[in-house]
């Protein structure tokens, strides 16, 4: 009886409907691409039209059908996620403690993340969105499955109705998706609006009709203020602040005002560049002209610098822990200015892989912990980006079961995935001196480790001739130091 209830609750009819819609749309797409005159979208068009124009029209028609296929596919994914979550929950006996319930949820999210090859945060959000659409927002799911709105539109609806009671959420959905609703949205339909514009309209309506005052909601949201950091390419990164709008505007306005005051015929920087430089100067107290051009901050850093690059013979990028490749000049500056926790990292000159540093005692010495950070770079769980500074060294084969304290029997786990390993059926696979461990899920699926993209260090022609050279003595000295 319980299995039947789960199957019914899992939305078998919804899944069947999504599959039927996909099949129909696939046939429609095939007809469009074949330039079939039976396609209703071609009704009334001149069949003797220019072939090139007909091809262009068919491509546009095909794009429209593909967009609807994407929407229906997203609806099918939502149905599958909700059905899997219900089935997985029914397969388990009721959790006896919040601790056990939390562990099961972690395992569920991890399985979805690995199957879809996405991060766990994205998987958790996806499961939440699927739950919302299949339970409290059925009208939005129906519109998605009908291809009337895109997945981006559906996510906006889920996001903007979060925290609303069912009646308020239904009113918002009805306003935008039901043309027969009282005071329905006028103009273009929801699916005809670009997602950014749709969000702006939905948010404005939500602010006006929210049952709780904006003052109270703002007081609660202020408690969630935070700073976020996101690495980017070419030695750059983003830093963003989530804070009260007035303070954010004040920061923006002050940076803009200072930047405009520096503009002049002799100032080569653009206004955008000046804003960044002034904001960095205010935060860091730097005296250099360009942001980052002054003395580096003495922070805990782990930098891998190829020997030739360190000596200035090449400009091969170095590797900054918790970021990625950085310019050689930046690495050399870190070394020259004596960054507080800079550690020289030696790699195999043939392939760039780190060298084995085995130990026989249970407790890891600092040198081995640093080496583990070098090999793994982050938490080894698939999709996890937790930086190495926050992670914990873990024996893959337990010490009490005969596991050694060597680099090949160690993995770097963030606190969350360390708990996942010990609370659930997830287990790490074997590792090597150069490769972090993969993972095996409770269902038996194997997920490979994310391998570092190492390359042999660059060597200028003739820089390291065959046989003994003076540079080899320098390298030996660096190894010993």
């Amino acid at each position: 009886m319980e299995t039947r209830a789960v199957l019914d609750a899992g939305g078998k009819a919804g899944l069947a409907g999504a599959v039927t819609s996909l099949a129909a749309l696939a046939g429609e797409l095939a007809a469009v691409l074949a330039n079939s005159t039976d396609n209703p979208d071609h009704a009334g068009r001149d069949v003797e039209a220019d072939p090139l124009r007909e091809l262009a029209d068919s491509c546009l028609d095909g794009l429209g059908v593909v967009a609807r296929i994407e929407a229906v596919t997203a609806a099918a994914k939502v149905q599958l996620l909700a059905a899997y979550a219900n089935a997985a929950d029914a397969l388990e006996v009721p959790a006896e403690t919040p601790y056990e319930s939390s562990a099961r949820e972690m395992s569920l999210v991890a399985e979805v993340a690995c199957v879809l090859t996405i991060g766990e945060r994205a998987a958790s959000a996806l499961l939440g969105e699927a739950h919302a659409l299949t339970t409290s927002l059925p009208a939005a799911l129906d519109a998605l499955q009908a291809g009337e709105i895109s997945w981006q539109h559906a996510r906006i609806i889920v996001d903007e109705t979060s925290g609303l009671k069912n009646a308020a959420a239904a009113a918002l959905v009805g306003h935008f998706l039901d043309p027969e609703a009282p005071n329905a949205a006028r103009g273009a339909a929801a699916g005809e609006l670009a997602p950014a514009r749709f969000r702006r309209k939905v948010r404005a309506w939500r602010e006006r009709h929210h049952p709780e005052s904006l003052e109270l909601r703002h007081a609660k949201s202020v408690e969630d203020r935070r700073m976020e950091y996101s690495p980017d390419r070419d030695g750059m990164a983003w830093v963003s602040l989530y804070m009260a709008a007035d303070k954010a505007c004040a920061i923006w306005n002050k940076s803009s005002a200072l930047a405009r005051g520096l503009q002049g015929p002799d100032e080569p920087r653009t206004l955008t560049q000046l804003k960044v430089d002034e904001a960095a100067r205010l935060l860091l107290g730097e005296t250099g002209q360009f942001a980052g051009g002054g003395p580096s901050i003495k922070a805990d850093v782990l930098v891998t610098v190829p020997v030739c690059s360190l000596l200035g013979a090449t400009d091969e990028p170095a590797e900054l822990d918790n970021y990625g490749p950085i310019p050689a000049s930046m690495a050399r500056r870190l070394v020259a200015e004596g960054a507080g926790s800079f550690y020289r990292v030696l790699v195999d000159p043939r392939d760039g892989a780190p060298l084995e540093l085995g130990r026989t005692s249970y407790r890891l010495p600092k040198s081995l912990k640093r080496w583990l950070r070098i090999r793994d770079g982050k938490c080894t769980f698939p999709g996890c980006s937790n930086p190495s500074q926050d992670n914990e060294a873990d024996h893959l084969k337990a010490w009490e079961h005969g596991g050694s304290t060597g680099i090949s029997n160690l993995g770097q786990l963030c606190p969350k995935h360390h708990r996942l390993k010990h609370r659930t059926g997830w287990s790490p696979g074997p590792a090597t001196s150069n490769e972090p461990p993969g993972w095996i899920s409770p269902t038996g699926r194997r997920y490979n480790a994310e391998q570092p993209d190492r390359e042999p260090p660059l060597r200028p022609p003739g820089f390291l001739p065959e046989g003994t050279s003076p540079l080899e003595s320098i390298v030996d000295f660096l190894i010993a130091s």
Side-chain angles (χ1 to χ4, degrees):
M1 179 65 68
E2 183 180 0
T3 300
R4 174 58 57 188
V6 170
L7 289 174
D8 293 340
K12 290 186 67 178
L15 284 171
V19 172
T20 302
S21 298
L22 282 172
L25 287 169
E28 185 177 340
L29 179 61
V32 168
L33 296 180
N35 202 22
S36 172
T37 57
D38 295 331
N39 190 338
D41 288 340
H42 287 264
R45 293 184 184 173
D46 183 3
V47 296
E48 301 297 331
D50 177 50
L52 191 58
R53 172 57 60 188
E54 189 66 19
L55 173 62
D57 290 338
S58 296
C59 289
L60 290 176
D61 291 340
L63 285 172
V65 177
V66 168
R68 289 158 59 199
I69 289 175
E70 290 174 342
V72 177
T73 302
K77 182 185 288 187
V78 165
Q79 299 276 10
L80 289 168
L81 283 165
Y84 169 68
N86 289 333
D89 184 65
L91 286 171
E92 301 280 359
V93 298
E96 296 181 356
T97 64
Y99 181 91
E100 183 179 353
S101 178
S102 174
R104 289 182 184 177
E105 183 178 355
M106 289 172 59
S107 181
L108 177 76
V109 169
E111 185 78 39
V112 171
C114 290
V115 166
L116 296 179
T117 320
I118 59 178
E120 285 181 86
R121 181 178 296 181
S124 179
L126 196 56
L127 283 164
E129 290 159 350
H131 178 75
L133 287 167
T134 54
T135 55
S136 59
L137 300 170
L141 180 57
D142 290 342
L144 180 65
Q145 185 161 310
E148 297 173 358
I149 61 174
S150 71
W151 173 238
Q152 289 175 288
H153 292 82
R155 293 188 69 187
I156 290 170
I157 292 174
V158 172
D159 186 37
E160 295 297 337
T161 55
S162 63
L164 296 180
K165 295 183 178 179
N166 290 341
L172 185 149
V173 174
H175 175 76
F176 288 100
L177 300 183
D178 184 5
E180 302 300 325
N183 193 28
R186 297 187 299 271
E192 298 172 350
L193 293 169
R197 296 303 308 165
F198 178 64
R199 181 182 288 277
R200 188 180 184 93
K201 289 172 68 73
V202 172
R203 181 166 293 171
W205 193 91
R206 178 184 185 273
E207 293 297 318
R208 289 194 303 269
H209 297 272
H210 199 289
E212 190 176 24
S213 73
L214 179 58
E215 195 68 33
L216 291 175
R217 286 180 281 130
H218 173 69
K220 294 177 182 177
S221 296
V222 166
E223 300 300 319
D224 295 328
R225 59 190 182 276
R226 60 186 179 272
M227 174 185 286
E228 295 181 350
Y229 161 76
S230 177
D232 207 336
R233 298 182 297 272
D234 304 326
M236 304 296 286
W238 296 92
V239 174
S240 57
L241 304 173
Y242 179 70
M243 59 194 308
D246 57 341
K247 290 184 173 61
C249 287
I251 292 173
W252 174 261
N253 292 339
K254 183 172 183 177
S255 299
S256 300
L258 291 171
R260 289 192 181 96
L262 293 174
Q263 285 185 304
D266 298 326
E267 175 54 66
R269 291 174 289 176
T270 65
L271 181 62
T272 299
Q273 293 170 338
L274 286 166
K275 288 179 184 179
V276 175
D277 295 349
E278 285 304 295
R281 182 183 63 79
L282 292 172
L283 282 172
L284 304 176
E286 294 186 351
T287 57
Q289 182 183 20
F290 302 109
S296 297
I297 300 173
K298 302 299 187 290
D300 180 49
V301 291
L302 182 65
V303 186
T304 304
V305 189
V307 171
C308 295
S309 181
L310 180 62
L311 297 177
T314 69
D315 285 327
E316 184 179 5
E319 191 82 6
L320 179 64
D321 189 31
N322 191 28
Y323 177 83
I326 60 173
S329 59
M330 185 184 295
R332 286 193 286 266
R333 189 170 70 247
L334 284 171
V335 178
E337 295 174 3
S341 298
F342 170 79
Y343 299 106
R344 187 181 297 111
V345 177
L346 298 176
V347 296
D348 190 323
R350 296 166 298 181
D351 57 11
L355 304 175
E356 174 78 12
L357 285 178
R359 292 293 187 272
T360 56
S361 63
Y362 175 79
R363 186 176 297 276
L364 275 68
K366 289 185 178 180
S367 58
L368 188 54
K369 290 180 180 178
R370 294 169 191 158
W371 202 255
L372 189 62
R373 286 171 58 184
I374 298 164
R375 188 197 69 180
D376 296 348
K378 64 176 188 61
C379 173
T380 60
F381 194 86
C384 183
S385 300
N386 206 69
S388 59
Q389 294 95 324
D390 301 330
N391 295 334
E392 304 162 354
D394 181 65
H395 287 75
L396 303 179
K397 183 178 180 181
W399 174 267
E400 59 268 25
H401 295 154
S404 63
T405 305
I407 193 69
S408 298
N409 190 47
L410 293 172
Q412 190 178 161
L413 302 180
C414 67
K416 181 175 75 172
H417 291 118
H418 203 166
R419 294 193 300 270
L420 182 73
K421 174 192 171 187
H422 291 290
R423 295 183 187 178
T424 72
W426 283 88
S427 60
T432 70
S433 60
N434 300 331
E435 299 175 355
W439 282 76
I440 304 171
S441 77
T443 62
R445 289 176 172 81
R446 294 177 178 268
Y447 301 99
N448 293 328
E450 181 180 335
Q451 297 295 323
D453 294 325
R454 298 191 180 94
E455 297 181 5
L458 295 176
R459 291 185 295 180
F463 199 71
L464 266 180
E466 296 295 328
T468 305
S469 72
L471 181 62
E472 288 183 85
S473 301
I474 299 175
V475 173
D476 291 338
F477 172 77
L478 292 174
I479 294 174
S481 62

